Amino acid sequence: MATNRTIAEIHILQTMPPSNLNRDDTGSPKKAVYGGITRARVSSQAWKRPTRLKFRELVDPNQLGIRTKRVVEVLNKHIIDRMPDTDPQLSAEVAKSILLVALKGKKSKKKDSEILVKPRTSKDSGQNDDLEQSTYLLFLGSHQYDELAEIAVNAIASGDPTAFIKSSDVKKHIKAIAQNDRAIDVALFGRMVADDTDLNVDAAAQVAHAISVQRVDFDSDYFTAVDDVKQDSDEEGDAGAAMIGDVEFNSATFYRYANVDVDRLLDTLGDANATVQAVTAFIDAFSTTVPNGKINSFAHNTLPDLVVVNLRDTQAVNLAGAFERPIAGDIVANATKALVEREQEIDASYGTTPVHTWVVRVGKDTKAADQLAARQPLRDVLTELGDAVAARLVRE
């Protein structure tokens, strides 16, 4: 088996109180059948979004991307920031022209009006509804907008922006900027553009759907809302509820898993320091965030019972098989034992033993994880993980 790869992976056991983290189209908590048993489930995208939003606290915003349909508006703002006296209508037209070059693939049969379209929005939305939007959410890095804005400034200064942008050298430059992304979150989570596959970025991170380690029953919270004025006056002789309803919820201990292909991340970012920062930021954010579905109703702000971080040189290993048989009894204690046993047996059978393992845990129930590595605070783990990744990225 090849031993020249670098993969960082994270395994988490996290107990959630009554909550509705991730709803389906009927408002019910998502679920899955695993091992013939109904489990609570949280989709990967539901945990990726808070993870990505946490990056704003951990990473310089200039190293991150912007995911939006309002691409003309964003680029136009970058242009105006550089040329405050520019006619906003002119800068918007230049922004649109540049983005059409960036987004339209060589083989695309779409018209310009099908790539950037006028939005159908309310006049009271408070947004700039006059500017075209892309037909899909587009994930571009802040640096890309900066570089495209510089082209726009030069185009406006030339006196003939249309001719400037249509020149072959400028068009190649625009395409190169759009294709060469260096945003950390774009590199981690990827980008797919159907109209121009040259803009696609393969995600370096994989995030599994979280599933409960035990069988889960789903409950419903019946609630009422009282009309304060009606209650105080009680003129109608009825101080009852003005509204009634119900919200479904569950509670469970989840197994969460994700990994980062460090080599692929380095290929995309092209910088070892940025790669190290991306890996540690991902592990930090994935460990310490929760989806905010119905959070004001349930306040489910928990932190993991157990975090196991592995650095492997073979392949990524999801340990969900530890919970194919649902855990019973002391859930966290027995789930920890099952996780540890599964990792040890797989590594012994397939030669996938990590080159480094770190453990962050809370309480006596997670003590079995000490068989994998000594217990440490998350801050120390992130520091040591960063150092280990940096050492492996040194190229001879």
Side-chain angles (χ1 to χ4, degrees):
M1 186 174 292
T3 58
N4 58 352
R5 303 184 65 191
T6 301
I7 299 171
E9 62 178 26
I10 181 169
H11 308 266
I12 293 177
L13 293 178
Q14 185 162 359
T15 301
M16 303 302 300
S19 53
N20 188 339
L21 303 175
N22 185 207
R23 289 166 278 176
D24 63 18
D25 58 341
T26 68
S28 300
K30 289 185 177 180
K31 58 188 176 182
V33 175
Y34 183 60
I37 301 298
T38 299
R39 317 293 183 107
R41 176 176 66 90
V42 179
S43 66
S44 57
Q45 57 267 36
W47 231 299
K48 280 193 280 190
R49 177 161 175 78
T51 298
R52 188 169 65 85
L53 293 180
K54 179 75 172 180
F55 286 172
R56 297 175 183 176
E57 302 174 24
L58 304 174
V59 178
D60 182 344
N62 289 326
Q63 294 181 274
L64 299 176
I66 301 168
R67 189 172 67 174
T68 183
K69 290 184 176 182
R70 296 178 175 271
V71 288
V72 177
E73 181 179 329
V74 173
L75 181 53
N76 189 40
K77 183 179 183 304
H78 278 69
I79 297 168
I80 292 175
D81 286 345
R82 287 162 173 74
M83 302 181 73
D85 297 330
T86 303
D87 177 8
Q89 185 173 352
L90 172 61
S91 63
E93 285 299 319
V94 171
K96 176 183 173 181
S97 298
I98 289 174
L99 286 166
L100 284 171
V101 173
L103 302 181
K104 193 169 185 179
K106 294 179 181 179
K107 298 181 180 179
S108 176
K109 297 181 180 179
K110 285 190 175 182
K111 299 177 181 178
D112 291 352
S113 59
E114 295 175 313
I115 297 174
L116 294 176
V117 300
K118 286 286 188 180
R120 296 179 180 179
T121 53
S122 168
K123 293 182 179 179
D124 299 323
S125 67
Q127 300 289 342
N128 189 342
D129 299 327
D130 295 329
L131 300 182
E132 288 82 354
Q133 298 181 9
S134 57
T135 54
Y136 45 81
L137 283 170
L138 188 64
F139 206 179
L140 290 175
S142 294
H143 283 309
Q144 287 172 293
Y145 280 109
D146 287 337
E147 293 180 40
L148 293 175
E150 285 300 319
I151 290 178
V153 168
N154 293 332
I156 294 171
S158 74
D160 190 348
T162 300
F164 185 91
I165 293 169
K166 283 185 176 181
S167 69
S168 59
D169 288 345
V170 172
K171 290 174 72 172
K172 288 179 182 178
H173 190 195
I174 292 171
K175 280 290 188 184
I177 291 171
Q179 293 169 13
N180 296 325
D181 202 298
R182 296 292 182 266
I184 283 175
D185 46 356
V186 176
L188 281 166
F189 298 114
R191 178 175 64 218
M192 196 280 283
V193 180
D195 291 335
D196 187 354
T197 56
D198 288 339
L199 295 178
N200 291 349
V201 176
D202 291 333
Q206 297 177 337
V207 180
H209 287 228
I211 60 169
S212 65
V213 302
Q214 77 270 54
R215 178 198 299 269
V216 169
D217 295 320
F218 292 76
D219 296 305
S220 181
D221 176 35
Y222 174 82
F223 68 87
T224 64
V226 176
D227 185 319
D228 292 342
V229 175
K230 181 179 178 181
Q231 182 186 40
D232 291 341
S233 63
D234 196 21
E235 293 176 354
E236 301 173 25
D238 177 12
M243 183 180 73
I244 60 175
D246 60 85
V247 176
E248 290 188 69
F249 67 92
N250 57 40
S251 58
T253 296
F254 287 92
Y255 170 64
R256 301 171 50 206
Y257 170 75
N259 67 67
V260 178
D261 186 328
V262 179
D263 302 302
R264 174 176 291 175
L265 186 61
L266 177 61
D267 288 342
T268 302
L269 293 176
D271 180 87
N273 291 332
T275 300
V276 171
Q277 186 177 25
V279 171
T280 55
F282 178 83
I283 298 298
D284 189 350
F286 189 69
S287 301
T288 57
T289 57
V290 294
N292 63 4
K294 291 288 184 181
I295 197 165
N296 290 339
S297 298
F298 292 103
H300 51 261
N301 298 287
T302 68
L303 287 167
D305 302 280
L306 173 67
V307 176
V308 177
V309 177
N310 288 328
L311 199 60
R312 298 188 188 271
D313 61 1
T314 52
Q315 67 181 72
V317 181
N318 185 320
L319 300 175
F323 312 110
E324 191 268 341
R325 292 182 180 178
I327 302 297
D330 296 328
I331 301 297
V332 173
N334 291 336
T336 301
K337 293 174 183 176
L339 184 72
V340 170
E341 181 179 350
R342 182 73 173 182
E343 172 151 344
Q344 291 175 331
E345 290 190 354
I346 284 182
D347 291 342
S349 297
Y350 293 100
T352 54
T353 302
V355 294
H356 294 283
T357 295
W358 297 269
V359 168
V360 181
R361 66 178 188 85
V362 177
K364 296 183 293 183
D365 287 345
T366 56
K367 185 174 177 56
D370 290 347
Q371 298 175 49
L372 300 177
R375 175 183 188 175
Q376 292 181 268
L378 179 60
R379 292 296 109 197
D380 293 351
V381 169
L382 294 173
T383 299
E384 293 184 15
L385 171 64
D387 291 342
V389 170
R392 294 184 62 82
L393 291 182
V394 175
R395 300 292 190 232
E396 296 182 0

